[in-house]
Amino acid sequence: MVNEAKDVNSDQQAIAAVEHHHGQMLTRLTHLTRALVDAVESGKKPAEHDAHALLVEWCENDLIPHALAEESAIYERARSRPEAQLLVEGMLAEHRVITNTLEELRGAQGIQAAALATAIERLFAQHLDKENTLLLPFIVSQPDLSLVEAVEGLHEIVGAAHHHGGEHQHTTTETRLD
């Protein structure tokens, strides 16, 4: 079944939007992780507590919703294809590892918290690389799958875009898909 309306150029723009948002997320996670590691190394308990709380909050409000949105919007489309099924299963397993590591981080302190935060950061970076270089291009290469349709309206995947007077308005933390 071929999607006659598929616009490959729009799908390429969708990849760029998702990749841009991934980059923003990784930058934020790296910053939050570094703040926690620095606080632990300095021995400043109040700074450690604050950095830990900010990191956990960001993971709960940004990272996990992003992963869940990807699972329902993107992964399910590719999972139906035998040639992508193992990749998707592996990526779902990575989501579980990240989520489980976050659960450990919630109750961790000191060196253990810094190590778990670093593990989440590295797992996420590796995971994003697979999405950007393997999964998203696979979806775009399929004549009957549309990445644009998969991510349309999902700010958890492409960033928050606001429409004002027909124009897209963006802040530095937003990604646009046009």
Side-chain angles (χ1 to χ4, degrees), residues 20-48:
H20 180 74
H21 186 59
H22 281 165
Q24 291 173 323
M25 290 182 73
L26 185 57
T27 297
R28 182 69 177 145
L29 179 57
T30 299
H31 174 77
L32 292 169
T33 299
R34 186 77 251 160
L36 178 56
V37 169
D38 289 348
V40 168
E41 288 177 346
S42 73
K44 296 178 181 172
K45 288 295 183 184
E48 178 186 333

PDB file of all heavy atoms in Angstrom, residues 20-48:
ATOM      1  N   HIS A  20      16.936  17.826  15.866  1.00  0.00           N
ATOM      2  CA  HIS A  20      17.213  19.077  16.561  1.00  0.00           C
ATOM      3  C   HIS A  20      16.709  18.995  18.003  1.00  0.00           C
ATOM      4  O   HIS A  20      17.421  19.379  18.941  1.00  0.00           O
ATOM      5  CB  HIS A  20      16.568  20.249  15.821  1.00  0.00           C
ATOM      6  CG  HIS A  20      16.810  21.572  16.474  1.00  0.00           C
ATOM      7  ND1 HIS A  20      18.029  22.216  16.420  1.00  0.00           N
ATOM      8  CD2 HIS A  20      15.997  22.359  17.203  1.00  0.00           C
ATOM      9  CE1 HIS A  20      17.950  23.341  17.093  1.00  0.00           C
ATOM     10  NE2 HIS A  20      16.725  23.459  17.586  1.00  0.00           N
ATOM     11  N   HIS A  21      15.504  18.505  18.170  1.00  0.00           N
ATOM     12  CA  HIS A  21      14.944  18.356  19.516  1.00  0.00           C
ATOM     13  C   HIS A  21      15.772  17.366  20.339  1.00  0.00           C
ATOM     14  O   HIS A  21      16.039  17.608  21.519  1.00  0.00           O
ATOM     15  CB  HIS A  21      13.487  17.913  19.448  1.00  0.00           C
ATOM     16  CG  HIS A  21      12.809  17.882  20.774  1.00  0.00           C
ATOM     17  ND1 HIS A  21      12.693  18.991  21.585  1.00  0.00           N
ATOM     18  CD2 HIS A  21      12.223  16.875  21.459  1.00  0.00           C
ATOM     19  CE1 HIS A  21      12.064  18.664  22.695  1.00  0.00           C
ATOM     20  NE2 HIS A  21      11.771  17.381  22.656  1.00  0.00           N
ATOM     21  N   HIS A  22      16.202  16.277  19.709  1.00  0.00           N
ATOM     22  CA  HIS A  22      17.076  15.327  20.398  1.00  0.00           C
ATOM     23  C   HIS A  22      18.339  16.025  20.890  1.00  0.00           C
ATOM     24  O   HIS A  22      18.784  15.798  22.019  1.00  0.00           O
ATOM     25  CB  HIS A  22      17.453  14.174  19.469  1.00  0.00           C
ATOM     26  CG  HIS A  22      16.391  13.142  19.316  1.00  0.00           C
ATOM     27  ND1 HIS A  22      16.441  12.211  18.299  1.00  0.00           N
ATOM     28  CD2 HIS A  22      15.265  12.878  20.016  1.00  0.00           C
ATOM     29  CE1 HIS A  22      15.386  11.413  18.403  1.00  0.00           C
ATOM     30  NE2 HIS A  22      14.657  11.807  19.439  1.00  0.00           N
ATOM     31  N   GLY A  23      18.928  16.852  20.041  1.00  0.00           N
ATOM     32  CA  GLY A  23      20.134  17.581  20.424  1.00  0.00           C
ATOM     33  C   GLY A  23      19.893  18.505  21.604  1.00  0.00           C
ATOM     34  O   GLY A  23      20.725  18.601  22.523  1.00  0.00           O
ATOM     35  N   GLN A  24      18.744  19.189  21.594  1.00  0.00           N
ATOM     36  CA  GLN A  24      18.394  20.063  22.712  1.00  0.00           C
ATOM     37  C   GLN A  24      18.235  19.261  23.999  1.00  0.00           C
ATOM     38  O   GLN A  24      18.690  19.677  25.061  1.00  0.00           O
ATOM     39  CB  GLN A  24      17.105  20.823  22.415  1.00  0.00           C
ATOM     40  CG  GLN A  24      17.244  21.852  21.318  1.00  0.00           C
ATOM     41  CD  GLN A  24      15.904  22.458  20.960  1.00  0.00           C
ATOM     42  OE1 GLN A  24      14.878  21.790  20.948  1.00  0.00           O
ATOM     43  NE2 GLN A  24      15.919  23.739  20.657  1.00  0.00           N
ATOM     44  N   MET A  25      17.576  18.133  23.896  1.00  0.00           N
ATOM     45  CA  MET A  25      17.357  17.299  25.074  1.00  0.00           C
ATOM     46  C   MET A  25      18.690  16.793  25.627  1.00  0.00           C
ATOM     47  O   MET A  25      18.912  16.822  26.842  1.00  0.00           O
ATOM     48  CB  MET A  25      16.444  16.118  24.733  1.00  0.00           C
ATOM     49  CG  MET A  25      15.016  16.513  24.456  1.00  0.00           C
ATOM     50  SD  MET A  25      13.982  15.082  24.115  1.00  0.00           S
ATOM     51  CE  MET A  25      13.852  14.384  25.772  1.00  0.00           C
ATOM     52  N   LEU A  26      19.568  16.328  24.752  1.00  0.00           N
ATOM     53  CA  LEU A  26      20.852  15.816  25.213  1.00  0.00           C
ATOM     54  C   LEU A  26      21.688  16.923  25.843  1.00  0.00           C
ATOM     55  O   LEU A  26      22.347  16.704  26.871  1.00  0.00           O
ATOM     56  CB  LEU A  26      21.609  15.140  24.073  1.00  0.00           C
ATOM     57  CG  LEU A  26      22.920  14.471  24.466  1.00  0.00           C
ATOM     58  CD1 LEU A  26      22.706  13.418  25.554  1.00  0.00           C
ATOM     59  CD2 LEU A  26      23.575  13.846  23.234  1.00  0.00           C
ATOM     60  N   THR A  27      21.648  18.106  25.274  1.00  0.00           N
ATOM     61  CA  THR A  27      22.369  19.244  25.856  1.00  0.00           C
ATOM     62  C   THR A  27      21.848  19.541  27.257  1.00  0.00           C
ATOM     63  O   THR A  27      22.627  19.753  28.193  1.00  0.00           O
ATOM     64  CB  THR A  27      22.232  20.489  24.957  1.00  0.00           C
ATOM     65  OG1 THR A  27      22.851  20.210  23.701  1.00  0.00           O
ATOM     66  CG2 THR A  27      22.874  21.713  25.588  1.00  0.00           C
ATOM     67  N   ARG A  28      20.536  19.544  27.422  1.00  0.00           N
ATOM     68  CA  ARG A  28      19.941  19.811  28.736  1.00  0.00           C
ATOM     69  C   ARG A  28      20.305  18.710  29.737  1.00  0.00           C
ATOM     70  O   ARG A  28      20.679  18.996  30.871  1.00  0.00           O
ATOM     71  CB  ARG A  28      18.420  19.929  28.607  1.00  0.00           C
ATOM     72  CG  ARG A  28      17.721  20.250  29.900  1.00  0.00           C
ATOM     73  CD  ARG A  28      18.023  21.658  30.374  1.00  0.00           C
ATOM     74  NE  ARG A  28      17.268  21.931  31.597  1.00  0.00           N
ATOM     75  CZ  ARG A  28      17.705  22.672  32.591  1.00  0.00           C
ATOM     76  NH1 ARG A  28      18.879  23.269  32.505  1.00  0.00           N
ATOM     77  NH2 ARG A  28      16.977  22.850  33.658  1.00  0.00           N
ATOM     78  N   LEU A  29      20.207  17.459  29.303  1.00  0.00           N
ATOM     79  CA  LEU A  29      20.561  16.345  30.181  1.00  0.00           C
ATOM     80  C   LEU A  29      22.030  16.411  30.579  1.00  0.00           C
ATOM     81  O   LEU A  29      22.375  16.188  31.744  1.00  0.00           O
ATOM     82  CB  LEU A  29      20.233  15.010  29.507  1.00  0.00           C
ATOM     83  CG  LEU A  29      20.576  13.748  30.296  1.00  0.00           C
ATOM     84  CD1 LEU A  29      19.896  13.739  31.664  1.00  0.00           C
ATOM     85  CD2 LEU A  29      20.178  12.512  29.476  1.00  0.00           C
ATOM     86  N   THR A  30      22.892  16.731  29.654  1.00  0.00           N
ATOM     87  CA  THR A  30      24.323  16.855  29.941  1.00  0.00           C
ATOM     88  C   THR A  30      24.559  17.960  30.967  1.00  0.00           C
ATOM     89  O   THR A  30      25.336  17.783  31.917  1.00  0.00           O
ATOM     90  CB  THR A  30      25.108  17.131  28.647  1.00  0.00           C
ATOM     91  OG1 THR A  30      24.909  16.030  27.749  1.00  0.00           O
ATOM     92  CG2 THR A  30      26.591  17.322  28.907  1.00  0.00           C
ATOM     93  N   HIS A  31      23.894  19.083  30.803  1.00  0.00           N
ATOM     94  CA  HIS A  31      24.033  20.201  31.743  1.00  0.00           C
ATOM     95  C   HIS A  31      23.567  19.794  33.144  1.00  0.00           C
ATOM     96  O   HIS A  31      24.250  20.066  34.139  1.00  0.00           O
ATOM     97  CB  HIS A  31      23.243  21.409  31.234  1.00  0.00           C
ATOM     98  CG  HIS A  31      23.203  22.543  32.203  1.00  0.00           C
ATOM     99  ND1 HIS A  31      24.272  23.393  32.400  1.00  0.00           N
ATOM    100  CD2 HIS A  31      22.233  22.953  33.052  1.00  0.00           C
ATOM    101  CE1 HIS A  31      23.955  24.279  33.333  1.00  0.00           C
ATOM    102  NE2 HIS A  31      22.716  24.043  33.744  1.00  0.00           N
ATOM    103  N   LEU A  32      22.405  19.161  33.224  1.00  0.00           N
ATOM    104  CA  LEU A  32      21.865  18.740  34.521  1.00  0.00           C
ATOM    105  C   LEU A  32      22.745  17.682  35.186  1.00  0.00           C
ATOM    106  O   LEU A  32      22.950  17.706  36.407  1.00  0.00           O
ATOM    107  CB  LEU A  32      20.434  18.223  34.356  1.00  0.00           C
ATOM    108  CG  LEU A  32      19.394  19.271  33.964  1.00  0.00           C
ATOM    109  CD1 LEU A  32      18.085  18.594  33.573  1.00  0.00           C
ATOM    110  CD2 LEU A  32      19.182  20.276  35.083  1.00  0.00           C
ATOM    111  N   THR A  33      23.263  16.767  34.391  1.00  0.00           N
ATOM    112  CA  THR A  33      24.156  15.733  34.918  1.00  0.00           C
ATOM    113  C   THR A  33      25.444  16.359  35.441  1.00  0.00           C
ATOM    114  O   THR A  33      25.912  16.037  36.535  1.00  0.00           O
ATOM    115  CB  THR A  33      24.461  14.683  33.832  1.00  0.00           C
ATOM    116  OG1 THR A  33      23.237  14.070  33.438  1.00  0.00           O
ATOM    117  CG2 THR A  33      25.435  13.632  34.327  1.00  0.00           C
ATOM    118  N   ARG A  34      25.989  17.281  34.659  1.00  0.00           N
ATOM    119  CA  ARG A  34      27.231  17.947  35.071  1.00  0.00           C
ATOM    120  C   ARG A  34      27.024  18.719  36.375  1.00  0.00           C
ATOM    121  O   ARG A  34      27.891  18.718  37.261  1.00  0.00           O
ATOM    122  CB  ARG A  34      27.704  18.896  33.967  1.00  0.00           C
ATOM    123  CG  ARG A  34      29.045  19.545  34.216  1.00  0.00           C
ATOM    124  CD  ARG A  34      30.185  18.585  33.957  1.00  0.00           C
ATOM    125  NE  ARG A  34      30.787  18.230  35.241  1.00  0.00           N
ATOM    126  CZ  ARG A  34      31.537  17.171  35.464  1.00  0.00           C
ATOM    127  NH1 ARG A  34      31.789  16.322  34.505  1.00  0.00           N
ATOM    128  NH2 ARG A  34      32.046  16.921  36.632  1.00  0.00           N
ATOM    129  N   ALA A  35      25.875  19.369  36.515  1.00  0.00           N
ATOM    130  CA  ALA A  35      25.586  20.114  37.746  1.00  0.00           C
ATOM    131  C   ALA A  35      25.554  19.175  38.943  1.00  0.00           C
ATOM    132  O   ALA A  35      26.074  19.511  40.019  1.00  0.00           O
ATOM    133  CB  ALA A  35      24.259  20.870  37.611  1.00  0.00           C
ATOM    134  N   LEU A  36      24.961  17.998  38.783  1.00  0.00           N
ATOM    135  CA  LEU A  36      24.907  17.031  39.880  1.00  0.00           C
ATOM    136  C   LEU A  36      26.304  16.499  40.205  1.00  0.00           C
ATOM    137  O   LEU A  36      26.701  16.445  41.375  1.00  0.00           O
ATOM    138  CB  LEU A  36      23.958  15.882  39.550  1.00  0.00           C
ATOM    139  CG  LEU A  36      23.852  14.773  40.603  1.00  0.00           C
ATOM    140  CD1 LEU A  36      23.441  15.328  41.970  1.00  0.00           C
ATOM    141  CD2 LEU A  36      22.880  13.701  40.135  1.00  0.00           C
ATOM    142  N   VAL A  37      27.055  16.133  39.183  1.00  0.00           N
ATOM    143  CA  VAL A  37      28.413  15.619  39.402  1.00  0.00           C
ATOM    144  C   VAL A  37      29.272  16.679  40.094  1.00  0.00           C
ATOM    145  O   VAL A  37      29.989  16.380  41.059  1.00  0.00           O
ATOM    146  CB  VAL A  37      29.045  15.157  38.067  1.00  0.00           C
ATOM    147  CG1 VAL A  37      30.539  14.879  38.223  1.00  0.00           C
ATOM    148  CG2 VAL A  37      28.312  13.937  37.528  1.00  0.00           C
ATOM    149  N   ASP A  38      29.191  17.926  39.627  1.00  0.00           N
ATOM    150  CA  ASP A  38      29.972  19.003  40.245  1.00  0.00           C
ATOM    151  C   ASP A  38      29.589  19.202  41.707  1.00  0.00           C
ATOM    152  O   ASP A  38      30.456  19.404  42.563  1.00  0.00           O
ATOM    153  CB  ASP A  38      29.787  20.317  39.481  1.00  0.00           C
ATOM    154  CG  ASP A  38      30.470  20.309  38.116  1.00  0.00           C
ATOM    155  OD1 ASP A  38      31.280  19.401  37.835  1.00  0.00           O
ATOM    156  OD2 ASP A  38      30.161  21.232  37.320  1.00  0.00           O
ATOM    157  N   ALA A  39      28.289  19.156  41.990  1.00  0.00           N
ATOM    158  CA  ALA A  39      27.829  19.335  43.376  1.00  0.00           C
ATOM    159  C   ALA A  39      28.323  18.203  44.261  1.00  0.00           C
ATOM    160  O   ALA A  39      28.758  18.433  45.400  1.00  0.00           O
ATOM    161  CB  ALA A  39      26.305  19.429  43.414  1.00  0.00           C
ATOM    162  N   VAL A  40      28.279  16.979  43.755  1.00  0.00           N
ATOM    163  CA  VAL A  40      28.771  15.825  44.522  1.00  0.00           C
ATOM    164  C   VAL A  40      30.271  15.978  44.770  1.00  0.00           C
ATOM    165  O   VAL A  40      30.745  15.783  45.897  1.00  0.00           O
ATOM    166  CB  VAL A  40      28.455  14.499  43.798  1.00  0.00           C
ATOM    167  CG1 VAL A  40      29.203  13.336  44.429  1.00  0.00           C
ATOM    168  CG2 VAL A  40      26.947  14.235  43.800  1.00  0.00           C
ATOM    169  N   GLU A  41      31.017  16.339  43.732  1.00  0.00           N
ATOM    170  CA  GLU A  41      32.473  16.491  43.874  1.00  0.00           C
ATOM    171  C   GLU A  41      32.833  17.593  44.847  1.00  0.00           C
ATOM    172  O   GLU A  41      33.839  17.491  45.567  1.00  0.00           O
ATOM    173  CB  GLU A  41      33.115  16.750  42.515  1.00  0.00           C
ATOM    174  CG  GLU A  41      33.136  15.523  41.625  1.00  0.00           C
ATOM    175  CD  GLU A  41      33.705  15.791  40.236  1.00  0.00           C
ATOM    176  OE1 GLU A  41      33.855  16.973  39.839  1.00  0.00           O
ATOM    177  OE2 GLU A  41      33.995  14.804  39.534  1.00  0.00           O
ATOM    178  N   SER A  42      32.029  18.644  44.901  1.00  0.00           N
ATOM    179  CA  SER A  42      32.334  19.764  45.801  1.00  0.00           C
ATOM    180  C   SER A  42      31.927  19.484  47.244  1.00  0.00           C
ATOM    181  O   SER A  42      32.346  20.190  48.152  1.00  0.00           O
ATOM    182  CB  SER A  42      31.634  21.036  45.322  1.00  0.00           C
ATOM    183  OG  SER A  42      30.236  20.957  45.574  1.00  0.00           O
ATOM    184  N   GLY A  43      31.099  18.450  47.432  1.00  0.00           N
ATOM    185  CA  GLY A  43      30.659  18.104  48.772  1.00  0.00           C
ATOM    186  C   GLY A  43      29.597  19.033  49.333  1.00  0.00           C
ATOM    187  O   GLY A  43      29.306  18.994  50.528  1.00  0.00           O
ATOM    188  N   LYS A  44      28.997  19.860  48.492  1.00  0.00           N
ATOM    189  CA  LYS A  44      27.968  20.807  48.935  1.00  0.00           C
ATOM    190  C   LYS A  44      26.605  20.131  48.864  1.00  0.00           C
ATOM    191  O   LYS A  44      25.985  20.026  47.807  1.00  0.00           O
ATOM    192  CB  LYS A  44      28.007  22.065  48.077  1.00  0.00           C
ATOM    193  CG  LYS A  44      29.306  22.824  48.213  1.00  0.00           C
ATOM    194  CD  LYS A  44      29.338  24.041  47.314  1.00  0.00           C
ATOM    195  CE  LYS A  44      30.673  24.760  47.462  1.00  0.00           C
ATOM    196  NZ  LYS A  44      30.807  25.832  46.477  1.00  0.00           N
ATOM    197  N   LYS A  45      26.137  19.659  50.012  1.00  0.00           N
ATOM    198  CA  LYS A  45      24.880  18.896  50.084  1.00  0.00           C
ATOM    199  C   LYS A  45      23.665  19.668  49.572  1.00  0.00           C
ATOM    200  O   LYS A  45      22.846  19.093  48.857  1.00  0.00           O
ATOM    201  CB  LYS A  45      24.634  18.386  51.513  1.00  0.00           C
ATOM    202  CG  LYS A  45      25.568  17.266  51.917  1.00  0.00           C
ATOM    203  CD  LYS A  45      25.312  16.049  51.071  1.00  0.00           C
ATOM    204  CE  LYS A  45      26.192  14.898  51.508  1.00  0.00           C
ATOM    205  NZ  LYS A  45      26.037  13.731  50.656  1.00  0.00           N
ATOM    206  N   PRO A  46      23.495  20.956  49.911  1.00  0.00           N
ATOM    207  CA  PRO A  46      22.325  21.669  49.375  1.00  0.00           C
ATOM    208  C   PRO A  46      22.350  21.755  47.840  1.00  0.00           C
ATOM    209  O   PRO A  46      21.322  21.576  47.190  1.00  0.00           O
ATOM    210  CB  PRO A  46      22.405  23.062  50.002  1.00  0.00           C
ATOM    211  CG  PRO A  46      23.208  22.868  51.248  1.00  0.00           C
ATOM    212  CD  PRO A  46      24.195  21.776  50.908  1.00  0.00           C
ATOM    213  N   ALA A  47      23.525  22.002  47.273  1.00  0.00           N
ATOM    214  CA  ALA A  47      23.657  22.066  45.819  1.00  0.00           C
ATOM    215  C   ALA A  47      23.398  20.692  45.199  1.00  0.00           C
ATOM    216  O   ALA A  47      22.752  20.579  44.147  1.00  0.00           O
ATOM    217  CB  ALA A  47      25.045  22.569  45.425  1.00  0.00           C
ATOM    218  N   GLU A  48      23.878  19.647  45.862  1.00  0.00           N
ATOM    219  CA  GLU A  48      23.635  18.289  45.382  1.00  0.00           C
ATOM    220  C   GLU A  48      22.136  17.979  45.398  1.00  0.00           C
ATOM    221  O   GLU A  48      21.595  17.437  44.427  1.00  0.00           O
ATOM    222  CB  GLU A  48      24.379  17.268  46.235  1.00  0.00           C
ATOM    223  CG  GLU A  48      24.120  15.830  45.811  1.00  0.00           C
ATOM    224  CD  GLU A  48      24.738  14.799  46.736  1.00  0.00           C
ATOM    225  OE1 GLU A  48      25.750  15.090  47.403  1.00  0.00           O
ATOM    226  OE2 GLU A  48      24.194  13.675  46.788  1.00  0.00           O
TER     227      GLU A  48
END
